[in-house]
Every structure is written in structure tokens, then in C-alpha cells.
Amino acid sequence: MIPLKRPLSHPSFIFNKSNSKSLRSLIKNTRSTNETFSSPIPIFYFKFSDSTMPIFAANSSSFSRVNTHFPDSENQPTLTSKAQTFPQIRTFCVKRTNPNAELSASNDIPIVSTVSGPIQTSQPIDAGSSMRKPISLWPGMYHSPVTNALWEARSSMFEKSFAENDSQTELVAKTPSMSRTSIAYKFSSDYILREQYKNPWDEMRMGKLLEDLDALAGTISYKHCRNDDGATRPILLVTASVDKMVLKKPIRVDFDLKISGAVTWVGRSSMEIQMEVTQSTPDSPDPSDSVALVANFTFVARDSKTGKSAPLNQILPEAEHEKLLWKEAEERNKMRKQKRIAEKKDVDNRDEDRLNTLLAEGRVFCDMPALADRDSILIRDTRHENSLMCQPQQRNIHGRIFGGFLMRKASELAFSNAYAFAGAAPCFMEVDHVDFFKPVDVGNFLRFKSCVLYTELENPMKPLINVEVVAHVTRPELRCSEVSNKFYFTFTVRPEAMKEGLKIRNVVPATEEEARRVLERMDAERSQ
């Protein structure tokens, strides 16, 4: 018997008044215990108008007392309204036919809403599958639909690795197609799913999409690390960095969306995963024009016991396209190493002229504010902050804070900062390279600090707003604070707003430290 969680005063219940006294006396006899009671008397019936849905009746052999709410009064209302349809409760999970079916190379991971909307017609999904997972493997359910579905799929690998933790088999070479995984968003037919990804301007919430990309990359990385017997070696896979992501075309929230990805390059203990976000719209029916965004995530492997780097299964590209992606990833890996070496060198030989030029207007703001340019503003006057405690519900399967959660929170703060600065709804353009410096644990005090670093006003109809977000991991007990991540987002404003007379201000630094940060970002943009 499936318990009902709606009060019997709901119009969808048809109440049988004549039998209420008999049931009331039965309830009183069981009120002092937590037992269930049985009643042969039909009290009410409940059904969905959809013929595929089950019909519930209270005269089944066992009925839980805790879900029945009758007032003490003997005068019960007579409810005669017809049965109505209301949303069906269900969780996000993957329909499976065998333990590893959800991660097969050809099987997409379906993403559906938690509640059926007015135009939702998909079949119910097993609501009990996620509840059977070990609690140590199943983090809090705050996450996005994609995160829930991906971790549901990923948990089967962990269950097998825990049961067979001695599966320290030899490393094997795997093709990119063996790790390829896709996610399908049925926005056009799933009303409630669409509502979860829509912002107040009926556009895509890019922060949630970044969160989903990180979750998918994690699942793909674990899929690559599985052995032929389906077991996963006891290693930790963490996000090390994310390459620059540029939005190639606007993503609409009323058309179906697909994210697909695979491992494209593997080093000794690191791997690169490339993902594509595709969407076909009436404006771009050609599949070659459907790519909206490409993302490259780098994951590193650590031994779960020692914390040292762990070797990975190598990659064996077969098709010409796979070989080309491998070469491109190899070049990116070399460039990352060169960049790290360059950053360790002395940077005191910066162009002093460029620094002085940037600081000139800022010094006027500081020393002669009445004479400062009214079309400019100091960086420090654009700052916004957001602080939060890292709760257990935000952890990943390793007990640390999910990297996609950090990306989403940073993206939403950057969006808010750009909105407050421009005075109009901003449009996401790109997010620059992201490095994950420090892990974030449950119980940490996390602070996000953002500011508009600089603006680009060469094109008056398409100004660019560059926002910096720095995540600080603070531990008050230890009196320490460390930088966990640095994020750099670029937004623009709709041309309609610019035509209506909106004017974006120039942003200037007031200190040498701010000026150096601006120069570093400008140089990084030019080098890409």
C-alpha cells in the first residue's frame, strides 16, 4: 500500500460519510500505538484521471494511521467533487535493466522534473531506487536534477567497488567512446523541469548549467576508470581546472537541450574531458550549428588512502575525430604547464607605464573626488559579497563540497553584481579558466567576494562587463582564510537596453594591487 500524503479534505478524495463512525472508533483504539490498522469498510477512493496511474483505496488490507487525519467532530463534510489530477511526486533516477546499463556508451541519461507539470506526459519513475543506496554514497538531495540523476548512475560503480575493494587490476587502455555519456533535457515537454532552469527573464540559468557540466564530467571520469568487470578502483577523482567556456549562441529554455561528453586525453594521473552543449532551434535547424558551448574539464586522480597521485587507464583514440581531439588536448596540457612555470617567475618587471595609466583616474577619485569623471567608478565601489556555511547537503560522494555547487554560486553572484552595476539584466558571454586551489569541506565558512574588474566599451551596442569572483575558505577556529577558487565571468547587455539610452560606466583601479589584477586579466584575455 502506498501511503497518501494529502489531507482527506482535498477535493480529489470522495468521502463516504456513512462509514466515518466505524473508522473513527477504530482509530481511537490504535491512537496510543504506532500500529497499522485494517478496515474492510470503504471510506474513500482516490484516483488519477490518467489511466496509467494507480488507484488508491482506503479499504486495503493495511493502512497507516499516521497518514489519516479525521477531526473529532462526528459531522463530516460530504465531498462529492469529481476526481482531479494533481502533480505526481517522483524523484530523478535512471531507468535500468542491469546494474551498468545506465552508463553504457549508447544510453542517454534522462532528466525529468520532480513534479509533473500541466503538459507532462512521461511515465512514472521508480521513486524507491535512490532510497536503497547506502547513505555514505548518497549526498543530500538539494542538488539539480542532473546531479541527482548522475550520482544515481554513479552510485552503482561505488557499490561494486566497495563490495570488491580488492579489485586492484592492471590498467587498461580505453577508447573515448567507452566513456561517452549524454544528458537529455526535455524542456519542450517537461514544464516543471523548464521552471527549474528558467531565470526571471525566461532565459537559461547558466549557473545551474555549469553545475550540471561539472557533475557530468565527474561521472564520465569514473566511467573511464572502471575496469572490464565493472568495478572501480578505490581512487578519488577531483576537478582540477576548467578551461575557458565561450557561449557560441544563446541557450533557450523552451527547446530541448543535450549535453554529451567523453574523455579525450589522459596523462599519468590526470585526464581531460570535453563536453558539448547542443540545442536545435528554428533559427539553427542544421546540426552543425547546434553547438552552443564547449567545455574542457581537467580531473586528477588521488589514492583514497594515501592522497598521492594515482595512475589512470590510458586513452586509445580510434576515429580521426578522436585523434584530433587528443592532439588539441595535448597542446592545451603543454600550455598549462608553461603557464604555471611563467607564473612562478618574478613579475616585478611589469610595464610601469600601463600601471600608471590605469591608476591615473583612480588617483583623481581618491585625491580630488569632486573632479573625478562622472562616467567612471572605482573597482571597490562595485563590490558584492555572499557568505554561507558549507552544509552536509552540499557535499559530493567523497564528503567534500561539490565543485559544481561552487561554480553555480559564483556564477549567480557574478550575475547579480553585473545586474546591479549595469542597471539592466546582463547576458552571459563566457567564463574564463578556473583553477581549484583548495578543497572545501563540510563545516567550512565560505565567502564569495565579487567586483567588476574592468569594462570594454569599444562597441557601444555590445559593452563587455568583466566580473571577478574569489572564493575564500575561512576556518574561524584556526584563524585562517585561504583562496579556494578564482572565477572570471564576462557579461554584456541587450542591444535594446543600449538603444533606450543605457550607459555603462568605465571602471578604474584605486590601488596598484587592483591595477595589476586588471592587467593580468587583460593579458590573459589577449593570450587566448
Side-chain angles (χ1 to χ4, degrees):
M1 183 63 194
I2 302 176
L4 298 174
K5 295 185 178 180
R6 290 187 179 269
L8 297 183
S9 60
H10 193 281
S12 296
F13 292 103
I14 302 175
F15 190 80
N16 189 340
K17 175 180 178 181
S18 61
N19 296 321
S20 61
K21 293 183 178 180
S22 299
L23 182 60
R24 189 183 303 106
S25 61
L26 185 59
I27 295 173
K28 290 181 178 179
N29 294 333
T30 61
R31 186 167 292 175
S32 60
T33 67
N34 290 326
E35 299 174 353
T36 61
F37 63 86
S38 302
S39 171
I41 307 169
I43 301 301
F44 66 83
Y45 295 94
F46 173 73
K47 64 180 181 179
F48 293 89
S49 61
D50 187 351
S51 61
T52 63
M53 296 302 300
I55 297 177
F56 300 99
N59 63 329
S60 57
S61 58
S62 179
F63 190 75
S64 175
R65 177 178 66 85
V66 72
N67 288 317
T68 306
H69 308 284
F70 287 96
D72 293 332
S73 172
E74 295 185 1
N75 297 324
Q76 299 292 340
T78 301
L79 302 178
T80 58
S81 62
K82 296 182 180 180
Q84 300 176 356
T85 301
F86 61 82
Q88 160 199 353
I89 306 301
R90 54 187 182 171
T91 59
F92 300 93
C93 60
V94 181
K95 188 176 181 180
R96 296 182 293 182
T97 56
N98 61 69
N100 295 320
E102 70 277 344
L103 291 174
S104 62
S106 60
N107 188 28
D108 289 355
I109 296 180
I111 306 301
V112 295
S113 61
T114 50
V115 185
S116 300
I119 59 174
Q120 176 70 22
T121 59
S122 61
Q123 295 296 319
I125 294 177
D126 180 10
S129 61
S130 64
M131 301 305 293
R132 294 190 294 269
K133 304 304 176 186
I135 192 169
S136 61
L137 303 180
W138 198 243
M141 299 297 292
Y142 93 98
H143 296 290
S144 72
V146 172
T147 306
N148 291 333
L150 288 170
W151 284 355
E152 172 81 7
R154 200 184 306 177
S155 64
S156 63
M157 293 185 288
F158 278 90
E159 288 170 357
K160 189 160 188 179
S161 67
F162 284 170
E164 304 173 9
N165 52 16
D166 57 344
S167 58
Q168 295 285 354
T169 57
E170 295 182 359
L171 298 175
V172 295
K174 306 185 76 172
T175 62
S177 60
M178 298 175 71
S179 64
R180 182 164 293 279
T181 309
S182 300
I183 298 174
Y185 298 74
K186 301 297 183 181
F187 286 138
S188 62
S189 58
D190 196 328
Y191 170 80
I192 298 299
L193 180 66
R194 185 165 68 246
E195 286 294 308
Q196 294 180 67
Y197 283 81
K198 185 174 69 174
N199 69 13
W201 296 273
D202 292 335
E203 296 174 349
M204 173 65 70
R205 288 179 59 186
M206 293 303 299
K208 288 185 71 69
L209 190 62
L210 294 177
E211 181 181 34
D212 293 349
L213 286 169
D214 185 74
L216 175 59
T219 296
I220 293 172
S221 67
Y222 277 99
K223 188 175 180 181
H224 177 79
C225 293
R226 286 195 307 170
N227 297 325
D228 294 335
D229 61 355
T232 305
R233 294 181 297 116
I235 58 176
L236 303 179
L237 292 169
V238 296
T239 310
S241 65
V242 184
D243 283 352
K244 183 176 182 177
M245 289 183 278
V246 180
L247 191 65
K248 297 183 177 181
K249 69 172 189 176
I251 298 177
R252 299 181 58 174
V253 77
D254 53 345
F255 286 89
D256 291 349
L257 186 74
K258 185 176 181 180
I259 304 179
S260 59
V263 176
T264 56
W265 176 89
V266 177
R268 180 189 175 277
S269 60
S270 62
M271 70 176 79
E272 182 175 297
I273 300 162
Q274 183 174 99
M275 287 174 290
E276 286 186 346
V277 180
T278 57
Q279 185 180 61
S280 295
T281 61
D283 300 333
S284 58
D286 189 353
S288 61
D289 298 330
S290 63
V291 178
L293 186 145
V294 176
N296 294 303
F297 283 71
T298 300
F299 276 69
V300 294
R302 295 287 182 266
D303 187 276
S304 59
K305 296 180 180 179
T306 65
K308 297 181 180 180
S309 61
L312 293 170
N313 292 332
Q314 291 301 300
I315 195 76
L316 187 63
E318 294 179 333
E320 290 300 322
H321 177 64
E322 294 174 347
K323 294 178 180 178
L324 178 61
L325 291 178
W326 184 90
K327 291 180 180 179
E328 293 175 351
E330 179 72 13
E331 290 297 323
R332 283 192 294 269
N333 184 61
K334 291 179 180 178
M335 290 180 61
R336 291 190 199 102
K337 292 181 178 180
Q338 294 174 358
K339 183 179 179 181
R340 284 195 292 267
I341 294 174
E343 288 176 348
K344 293 180 180 179
K345 294 181 179 179
D346 187 11
V347 295
D348 289 339
N349 55 353
R350 289 280 186 182
D351 189 346
E352 294 297 328
D353 292 338
R354 296 174 65 196
L355 277 175
N356 291 329
T357 301
L358 281 175
L359 287 170
E361 187 60 33
R363 288 171 179 146
V364 175
F365 268 93
C366 296
D367 299 334
M368 297 171 287
L371 302 178
D373 184 4
R374 298 307 174 207
D375 293 330
S376 298
I377 187 174
L378 292 176
I379 290 177
R380 66 189 183 196
D381 292 332
T382 68
R383 292 174 181 170
H384 288 266
E385 288 192 19
N386 185 18
S387 301
L388 57 93
M389 286 297 302
C390 296
Q391 305 293 346
Q393 294 78 15
Q394 296 152 2
R395 72 191 188 277
N396 60 18
I397 52 183
H398 299 306
R400 284 180 165 164
I401 300 304
F402 174 44
F405 169 78
L406 301 177
M407 296 179 67
R408 176 167 66 86
K409 298 299 289 186
S411 174
E412 291 174 349
L413 178 59
F415 185 95
S416 302
N417 198 334
Y419 186 24
F421 172 78
C427 299
F428 174 86
M429 294 288 292
E430 63 184 49
V431 55
D432 204 357
H433 181 89
V434 179
D435 286 310
F436 290 79
F437 303 116
K438 298 287 183 181
V440 183
D441 296 320
V442 173
N444 286 163
F445 180 48
L446 193 61
R447 301 182 65 187
F448 291 92
K449 301 180 181 181
S450 72
C451 68
V452 178
L453 206 55
Y454 66 97
T455 55
E456 300 175 65
L457 309 177
E458 290 79 7
N459 185 351
M461 297 307 296
K462 191 177 181 181
L464 300 181
I465 305 171
N466 295 272
V467 181
E468 176 191 63
V469 180
V470 182
H472 296 261
V473 180
T474 304
R475 297 176 177 86
E477 297 88 349
L478 302 177
R479 299 176 61 222
C480 71
S481 179
E482 298 177 296
V483 174
S484 170
N485 307 85
K486 288 185 178 181
F487 305 89
Y488 298 96
F489 298 89
T490 303
F491 299 90
T492 188
V493 181
R494 295 177 183 83
E496 306 85 66
M498 302 305 296
K499 291 179 180 178
E500 294 175 358
L502 181 67
K503 192 170 184 179
I504 303 299
R505 302 171 77 176
N506 184 41
V507 181
V508 295
T511 65
E512 185 173 330
E513 184 270 336
E514 291 178 343
R516 290 188 183 277
R517 282 161 49 199
V518 173
L519 288 179
E520 288 176 1
R521 292 309 313 152
M522 289 181 173
D523 293 342
E525 286 289 330
R526 294 191 184 98
S527 63
Q528 296 177 0

